[in-house]
Amino acid sequence: MTRKETAAALAILKAAYPHSFKGMTKPDAEATLNLWSRQFADDDPTLVSAAIDRLIATRTAGYSPTVGEVKEQLAKLSSADAPDEAEAWAYVSMACRNGLYGAEEEFSKLPPAVQNAVGSPEQLRQWAMMDSGTVESVVASNFRKSYAARQTREKELAKLPQSVRNLINGVSEVMRLES
């Protein structure tokens, strides 16, 4: 999103929430524009506009939404329809039924988010070799918890500006190399 597009988005918020911008000085307005420009630099202006429209239409608070609230709506609008943890486990459970001999094929059928959580076809094969009671209780519970945590982390990372994500990835890579 360009600075001009950000200014247009803020103008819409000002029209919808005039009290939030009442008495704002020129330096304050410039600081707000700089902040919002930086936070939404990597975002599609059409999606940001849709997120703002959705907030205006659904919020009952009488003050302007924060950057975080807009980012939250943006994440909801642009998120791939990844399954929740129960749906993800249902996919894995089905895949395990043929996982002993068809682990690669079953793994390839899983949605990408579920593949990331499982890790590899070999993991499916290992679960398929286990007692079904253990798989459906202990493994299922652990999978659901780790899948939910991973999805939460990915959603939070997606809200960050690309420059911050790059910084986090760089630090993570350095830590991996050092260990």
Side-chain angles (χ1 to χ4, degrees), residues 43-44 47 51 54 71-81 158:
D43 295 311
D44 179 345
L47 286 176
R54 187 173 180 180
K71 287 281 190 177
E72 182 71 27
Q73 286 300 316
L74 197 56
K76 288 178 183 177
L77 290 172
S78 61
S79 68
D81 293 325

PDB file of all heavy atoms in Angstrom, residues 43-44 47 51 54 71-81 158:
ATOM      1  N   ASP A  43       0.814  -4.614   2.279  1.00  0.00           N
ATOM      2  CA  ASP A  43      -0.547  -5.137   2.141  1.00  0.00           C
ATOM      3  C   ASP A  43      -1.251  -4.601   0.903  1.00  0.00           C
ATOM      4  O   ASP A  43      -0.980  -3.494   0.446  1.00  0.00           O
ATOM      5  CB  ASP A  43      -1.362  -4.804   3.395  1.00  0.00           C
ATOM      6  CG  ASP A  43      -0.826  -5.518   4.629  1.00  0.00           C
ATOM      7  OD1 ASP A  43      -0.610  -6.735   4.553  1.00  0.00           O
ATOM      8  OD2 ASP A  43      -0.620  -4.847   5.655  1.00  0.00           O
ATOM      9  N   ASP A  44      -2.149  -5.403   0.393  1.00  0.00           N
ATOM     10  CA  ASP A  44      -2.955  -5.040  -0.770  1.00  0.00           C
ATOM     11  C   ASP A  44      -3.967  -3.963  -0.357  1.00  0.00           C
ATOM     12  O   ASP A  44      -4.762  -4.181   0.572  1.00  0.00           O
ATOM     13  CB  ASP A  44      -3.683  -6.289  -1.272  1.00  0.00           C
ATOM     14  CG  ASP A  44      -4.576  -6.051  -2.469  1.00  0.00           C
ATOM     15  OD1 ASP A  44      -4.882  -4.878  -2.780  1.00  0.00           O
ATOM     16  OD2 ASP A  44      -4.985  -7.041  -3.089  1.00  0.00           O
ATOM     17  N   LEU A  47      -7.604  -5.078  -0.075  1.00  0.00           N
ATOM     18  CA  LEU A  47      -7.918  -5.865   1.118  1.00  0.00           C
ATOM     19  C   LEU A  47      -7.958  -4.992   2.370  1.00  0.00           C
ATOM     20  O   LEU A  47      -8.812  -5.180   3.235  1.00  0.00           O
ATOM     21  CB  LEU A  47      -6.906  -6.994   1.300  1.00  0.00           C
ATOM     22  CG  LEU A  47      -7.034  -8.172   0.342  1.00  0.00           C
ATOM     23  CD1 LEU A  47      -5.920  -9.175   0.569  1.00  0.00           C
ATOM     24  CD2 LEU A  47      -8.389  -8.858   0.516  1.00  0.00           C
ATOM     25  N   ALA A  51     -11.086  -4.551   4.804  1.00  0.00           N
ATOM     26  CA  ALA A  51     -10.983  -4.774   6.245  1.00  0.00           C
ATOM     27  C   ALA A  51     -11.530  -3.566   7.010  1.00  0.00           C
ATOM     28  O   ALA A  51     -12.265  -3.718   7.994  1.00  0.00           O
ATOM     29  CB  ALA A  51      -9.536  -5.053   6.640  1.00  0.00           C
ATOM     30  N   ARG A  54     -15.286  -3.470   6.701  1.00  0.00           N
ATOM     31  CA  ARG A  54     -15.887  -4.492   7.557  1.00  0.00           C
ATOM     32  C   ARG A  54     -15.919  -4.017   9.015  1.00  0.00           C
ATOM     33  O   ARG A  54     -16.908  -4.223   9.707  1.00  0.00           O
ATOM     34  CB  ARG A  54     -15.092  -5.784   7.428  1.00  0.00           C
ATOM     35  CG  ARG A  54     -15.691  -6.960   8.127  1.00  0.00           C
ATOM     36  CD  ARG A  54     -14.921  -8.217   7.791  1.00  0.00           C
ATOM     37  NE  ARG A  54     -15.500  -9.351   8.470  1.00  0.00           N
ATOM     38  CZ  ARG A  54     -15.052 -10.573   8.371  1.00  0.00           C
ATOM     39  NH1 ARG A  54     -14.015 -10.821   7.588  1.00  0.00           N
ATOM     40  NH2 ARG A  54     -15.614 -11.552   9.025  1.00  0.00           N
ATOM     41  N   LYS A  71      -5.380  -5.149  11.077  1.00  0.00           N
ATOM     42  CA  LYS A  71      -4.559  -6.314  10.704  1.00  0.00           C
ATOM     43  C   LYS A  71      -5.321  -7.619  10.980  1.00  0.00           C
ATOM     44  O   LYS A  71      -5.253  -8.568  10.193  1.00  0.00           O
ATOM     45  CB  LYS A  71      -3.233  -6.312  11.476  1.00  0.00           C
ATOM     46  CG  LYS A  71      -2.245  -5.269  11.020  1.00  0.00           C
ATOM     47  CD  LYS A  71      -1.555  -5.720   9.777  1.00  0.00           C
ATOM     48  CE  LYS A  71      -0.390  -4.815   9.431  1.00  0.00           C
ATOM     49  NZ  LYS A  71       0.321  -5.293   8.253  1.00  0.00           N
ATOM     50  N   GLU A  72      -6.048  -7.667  12.093  1.00  0.00           N
ATOM     51  CA  GLU A  72      -6.839  -8.849  12.429  1.00  0.00           C
ATOM     52  C   GLU A  72      -7.898  -9.107  11.361  1.00  0.00           C
ATOM     53  O   GLU A  72      -8.075 -10.242  10.903  1.00  0.00           O
ATOM     54  CB  GLU A  72      -7.491  -8.668  13.804  1.00  0.00           C
ATOM     55  CG  GLU A  72      -8.305  -9.853  14.270  1.00  0.00           C
ATOM     56  CD  GLU A  72      -7.462 -11.052  14.648  1.00  0.00           C
ATOM     57  OE1 GLU A  72      -6.303 -10.874  15.039  1.00  0.00           O
ATOM     58  OE2 GLU A  72      -7.983 -12.173  14.554  1.00  0.00           O
ATOM     59  N   GLN A  73      -8.612  -8.047  10.949  1.00  0.00           N
ATOM     60  CA  GLN A  73      -9.615  -8.200   9.895  1.00  0.00           C
ATOM     61  C   GLN A  73      -8.962  -8.599   8.579  1.00  0.00           C
ATOM     62  O   GLN A  73      -9.494  -9.419   7.832  1.00  0.00           O
ATOM     63  CB  GLN A  73     -10.402  -6.904   9.714  1.00  0.00           C
ATOM     64  CG  GLN A  73     -11.393  -6.636  10.799  1.00  0.00           C
ATOM     65  CD  GLN A  73     -12.442  -7.716  10.925  1.00  0.00           C
ATOM     66  OE1 GLN A  73     -12.987  -8.204   9.945  1.00  0.00           O
ATOM     67  NE2 GLN A  73     -12.705  -8.123  12.156  1.00  0.00           N
ATOM     68  N   LEU A  74      -7.816  -8.020   8.311  1.00  0.00           N
ATOM     69  CA  LEU A  74      -7.072  -8.340   7.092  1.00  0.00           C
ATOM     70  C   LEU A  74      -6.687  -9.814   7.079  1.00  0.00           C
ATOM     71  O   LEU A  74      -6.816 -10.482   6.047  1.00  0.00           O
ATOM     72  CB  LEU A  74      -5.828  -7.454   7.036  1.00  0.00           C
ATOM     73  CG  LEU A  74      -5.096  -7.281   5.738  1.00  0.00           C
ATOM     74  CD1 LEU A  74      -6.004  -6.777   4.640  1.00  0.00           C
ATOM     75  CD2 LEU A  74      -3.939  -6.316   5.925  1.00  0.00           C
ATOM     76  N   ALA A  75      -6.254 -10.315   8.211  1.00  0.00           N
ATOM     77  CA  ALA A  75      -5.889 -11.732   8.317  1.00  0.00           C
ATOM     78  C   ALA A  75      -7.103 -12.625   8.074  1.00  0.00           C
ATOM     79  O   ALA A  75      -7.006 -13.652   7.397  1.00  0.00           O
ATOM     80  CB  ALA A  75      -5.279 -12.025   9.684  1.00  0.00           C
ATOM     81  N   LYS A  76      -8.247 -12.221   8.597  1.00  0.00           N
ATOM     82  CA  LYS A  76      -9.471 -13.007   8.398  1.00  0.00           C
ATOM     83  C   LYS A  76      -9.885 -13.007   6.930  1.00  0.00           C
ATOM     84  O   LYS A  76     -10.332 -14.028   6.404  1.00  0.00           O
ATOM     85  CB  LYS A  76     -10.608 -12.456   9.250  1.00  0.00           C
ATOM     86  CG  LYS A  76     -10.450 -12.739  10.717  1.00  0.00           C
ATOM     87  CD  LYS A  76     -11.572 -12.120  11.515  1.00  0.00           C
ATOM     88  CE  LYS A  76     -11.375 -12.347  13.005  1.00  0.00           C
ATOM     89  NZ  LYS A  76     -12.417 -11.681  13.797  1.00  0.00           N
ATOM     90  N   LEU A  77      -9.743 -11.864   6.271  1.00  0.00           N
ATOM     91  CA  LEU A  77     -10.141 -11.756   4.864  1.00  0.00           C
ATOM     92  C   LEU A  77      -9.192 -12.505   3.934  1.00  0.00           C
ATOM     93  O   LEU A  77      -9.621 -13.063   2.928  1.00  0.00           O
ATOM     94  CB  LEU A  77     -10.204 -10.286   4.440  1.00  0.00           C
ATOM     95  CG  LEU A  77     -11.325  -9.448   5.021  1.00  0.00           C
ATOM     96  CD1 LEU A  77     -11.124  -7.981   4.663  1.00  0.00           C
ATOM     97  CD2 LEU A  77     -12.677  -9.933   4.519  1.00  0.00           C
ATOM     98  N   SER A  78      -7.911 -12.480   4.256  1.00  0.00           N
ATOM     99  CA  SER A  78      -6.933 -13.022   3.315  1.00  0.00           C
ATOM    100  C   SER A  78      -6.406 -14.401   3.693  1.00  0.00           C
ATOM    101  O   SER A  78      -5.588 -14.952   2.975  1.00  0.00           O
ATOM    102  CB  SER A  78      -5.757 -12.051   3.166  1.00  0.00           C
ATOM    103  OG  SER A  78      -5.113 -11.864   4.393  1.00  0.00           O
ATOM    104  N   SER A  79      -6.871 -14.947   4.801  1.00  0.00           N
ATOM    105  CA  SER A  79      -6.338 -16.242   5.218  1.00  0.00           C
ATOM    106  C   SER A  79      -6.851 -17.350   4.310  1.00  0.00           C
ATOM    107  O   SER A  79      -7.999 -17.357   3.888  1.00  0.00           O
ATOM    108  CB  SER A  79      -6.722 -16.545   6.664  1.00  0.00           C
ATOM    109  OG  SER A  79      -8.108 -16.763   6.769  1.00  0.00           O
ATOM    110  N   ALA A  80      -5.933 -18.259   4.024  1.00  0.00           N
ATOM    111  CA  ALA A  80      -6.346 -19.456   3.294  1.00  0.00           C
ATOM    112  C   ALA A  80      -7.249 -20.239   4.237  1.00  0.00           C
ATOM    113  O   ALA A  80      -7.068 -20.216   5.448  1.00  0.00           O
ATOM    114  CB  ALA A  80      -5.136 -20.272   2.903  1.00  0.00           C
ATOM    115  N   ASP A  81      -8.185 -20.919   3.696  1.00  0.00           N
ATOM    116  CA  ASP A  81      -9.114 -21.661   4.532  1.00  0.00           C
ATOM    117  C   ASP A  81      -8.450 -22.905   5.095  1.00  0.00           C
ATOM    118  O   ASP A  81      -8.753 -24.030   4.694  1.00  0.00           O
ATOM    119  CB  ASP A  81     -10.376 -22.016   3.747  1.00  0.00           C
ATOM    120  CG  ASP A  81     -11.193 -20.793   3.389  1.00  0.00           C
ATOM    121  OD1 ASP A  81     -11.221 -19.868   4.209  1.00  0.00           O
ATOM    122  OD2 ASP A  81     -11.782 -20.764   2.295  1.00  0.00           O
ATOM    123  N   ALA A 158       1.781 -13.378  10.009  1.00  0.00           N
ATOM    124  CA  ALA A 158       1.212 -12.797   8.794  1.00  0.00           C
ATOM    125  C   ALA A 158       0.767 -11.355   9.009  1.00  0.00           C
ATOM    126  O   ALA A 158       0.720 -10.571   8.058  1.00  0.00           O
ATOM    127  CB  ALA A 158       0.040 -13.638   8.302  1.00  0.00           C
TER     128      ALA A 158
END
